[in-house]
Amino acid sequence: MTITSIILWPGTKICERMGVDPEADQGLIRSMFNMLVYLVVMLAVMWMILG
């Protein structure tokens, strides 16, 4: 497993669960889901550090 596949894993699993091909549209849908997942994770980390 490469670092790229580890980073893209959340978006790939969400797309598979929704029945969408993760490689469709050059992976834009997968990228959107990855950004949302990592946004929530980073906001939670920042909240714990600063709170």
Side-chain angles (χ1 to χ4, degrees):
M1 194 173 246
T2 63
I3 293 176
T4 306
S5 62
I6 292 170
I7 292 171
L8 296 175
W9 181 79
T12 303
K13 289 300 173 186
I14 293 170
C15 285
E16 288 174 357
R17 185 166 285 222
M18 293 178 64
V20 177
D21 180 23
E23 298 296 324
D25 299 326
Q26 285 102 27
L28 290 175
I29 296 169
R30 179 176 59 184
S31 296
M32 180 191 68
F33 287 130
N34 280 324
M35 284 186 261
L36 291 173
V37 167
Y38 291 125
L39 172 70
V40 170
V41 169
M42 292 307 292
L43 285 175
V45 168
M46 294 303 290
W47 181 67
M48 283 187 250
I49 291 172
L50 298 174

